[in-house]
């Protein structure tokens, strides 16, 4: 019995050659499968009735190992026939699958080798959308401004105007009182006597000088304590005292006087009752109106401290974005 011919594993160059080779292999495989069962049955039958095999077995029993090589060869022959049948079955499966595989490979090759009609029509579509980088815009945060300290000079000047008005009333009253003591002012002419000084330099110069002294002292003390007004109020009194003497010089008027006449006039006014009254009034008014200015200065100091604390809290909290 001859072994069936197995088709060689040659790679066909054409689809038709592959199909023809597959059909031929199938035919040979069918023929081999038709012959194998009969051959196997005959060999099994001969094995039972073959006298040579019986003689071999008897000789093997008498001489162990003598015919082992023959048995190994027979077993190898049976294994070879079994492997041929398996190869035929595998070949049949490959033949059925080969046309499809080659057809798909041919289609893929045609797709890769097909010429491009127009390069301009070719477009590359990204698998994912390309996101342009987003530039981080800087955010400018304005730093909080340090609080401005509230001064008390403007308030002191306003209080000084009220003090000046009071000084003017007291100074006019003192002049009328001294005139009444001298007999120059009576009940009949008191109205004229009260209006007459309002048109003279001797009345307005000390009033204006008192205001200047009070305002300068308020600018120096600013938010200071009331004790400073009490101690330094004497300076405003001296301003008013000097203003009285200067007013008398303007009243003369001093540009028409000689040096001797001017010195004599100043000497007469140094201890004049109205000059002393101007000093006392200015001194007392500065003390009492200075208390008002000092209280206002203390309030401004408290507000400044609170504003500074709020500014420091804002710096510690850091910048914030507001919509």
């Amino acid at each position: 019995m001859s072994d069936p011919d197995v088709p060689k594993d040659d790679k066909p160059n054409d689809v038709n050659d592959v199909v023809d080779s597959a059909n031929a292999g199938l035919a040979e495989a069918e023929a081999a499968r038709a012959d194998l069962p009969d051959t196997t049955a005959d060999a099994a039958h001969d094995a039972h009735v073959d006298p040579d095999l019986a003689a071999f077995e008897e000789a093997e029993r008498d001489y162990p190992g003598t015919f082992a090589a023959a048995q190994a060869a027979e077993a190898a022959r049976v294994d070879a026939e079994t492997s041929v049948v398996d190869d035929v079955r595998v070949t049949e499966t490959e033949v059925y699958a080969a046309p499809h595989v080659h057809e798909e490979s041919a289609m893929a090759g045609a797709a890769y080798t097909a010429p491009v009609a127009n390069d301009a029509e070719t477009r590359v579509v990204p698998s994912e959308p390309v996101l342009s980088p987003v530039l981080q815009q800087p955010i400018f945060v304005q730093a909080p401004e340090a609080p401005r300290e509230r001064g008390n000079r403007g308030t002191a000047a306003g209080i000084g105007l009220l003090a000046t008005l009071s000084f003017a009333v007291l100074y006019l009253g003192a002049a009328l009182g001294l005139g009444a003591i001298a007999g120059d002012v009576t009940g009949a002419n008191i109205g004229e006597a009260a209006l007459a000084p309002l048109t003279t330099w001797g009345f307005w110069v000390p009033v204006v000088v008192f205001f200047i002294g009070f305002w300068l002292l308020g600018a120096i003390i600013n938010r200071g304590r009331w004790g400073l007004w009490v101690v330094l109020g004497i300076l405003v009194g001296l301003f008013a005292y000097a203003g009285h003497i200067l007013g008398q010089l303007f009243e003369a008027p001093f540009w028409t006087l000689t040096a001797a006449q001017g010195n004599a006039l100043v000497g007469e006014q140094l201890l004049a009752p109205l000059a002393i009254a101007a000093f006392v009034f200015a001194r007392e008014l500065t003390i009492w109106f200075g208390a008002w200015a000092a209280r206002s200065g203390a309030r401004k100091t408290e507000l400044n401290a609170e504003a500074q604390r709020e500014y420091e809290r804002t710096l510690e909290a850091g910048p914030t974005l507001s919509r």
Side-chain angles (χ1 to χ4, degrees), residues 221-242:
I221 296 176
N222 196 4
R223 297 184 302 271
R225 296 178 179 273
W226 181 48
L228 296 175
W229 290 93
V230 174
V231 174
L232 299 178
I234 192 173
L235 298 177
V236 182
L238 293 176
F239 265 77
Y241 177 80

Side-chain angles (χ1 to χ4, degrees), residues 57-70:
E57 292 178 353
E58 184 179 357
E60 182 66 20
R61 287 193 301 267
D62 296 338
Y63 302 97
T66 303
F67 299 97

Side-chain angles (χ1 to χ4, degrees), residues 127-218:
S127 60
E128 295 181 358
V130 179
L131 299 179
S132 60
V134 179
L135 299 179
Q136 186 68 26
Q137 297 294 334
I139 300 175
F140 299 95
V141 180
Q142 184 177 3
E145 296 182 358
R148 295 181 179 180
E149 291 188 353
R150 293 179 174 87
N152 197 44
R153 294 180 178 88
T155 304
I159 295 173
L161 288 176
L162 296 177
T164 302
L165 180 59
S166 301
F167 176 81
V169 172
L170 292 176
Y171 187 73
L172 179 60
L176 293 176
L178 293 175
I181 294 173
D184 297 334
V185 178
T186 61
N189 63 353
I190 189 172
E192 296 178 359
L195 295 176
L198 299 180
T199 59
T200 61
W201 288 97
F203 176 79
W204 288 111
V205 170
V207 172
V208 173
V209 172
F210 168 80
F211 172 76
I212 294 174
F214 191 96
W215 176 76
L216 288 176
L217 183 61

Side-chain angles (χ1 to χ4, degrees), residues 71-147:
Q71 293 178 354
E74 183 66 17
R77 185 180 64 81
V78 175
D79 293 338
E81 292 177 355
T82 304
S83 63
V84 168
V85 174
D86 295 336
D87 293 339
V88 170
R89 292 176 181 176
V90 171
T91 304
E92 182 181 359
T93 303
E94 293 177 354
V95 167
Y96 279 109
H100 300 284
V101 173
H102 284 285
E103 184 178 358
E104 293 178 357
S105 62
M107 293 174 64
Y112 278 108
T113 57
V116 180
N118 189 0
D119 293 338
E121 296 178 356
T122 303
R123 291 180 176 85
V124 178
V125 180
S127 60
E128 295 181 358
V130 179
L131 299 179
S132 60
V134 179
L135 299 179
Q136 186 68 26
Q137 297 294 334
I139 300 175
F140 299 95
V141 180
Q142 184 177 3
E145 296 182 358

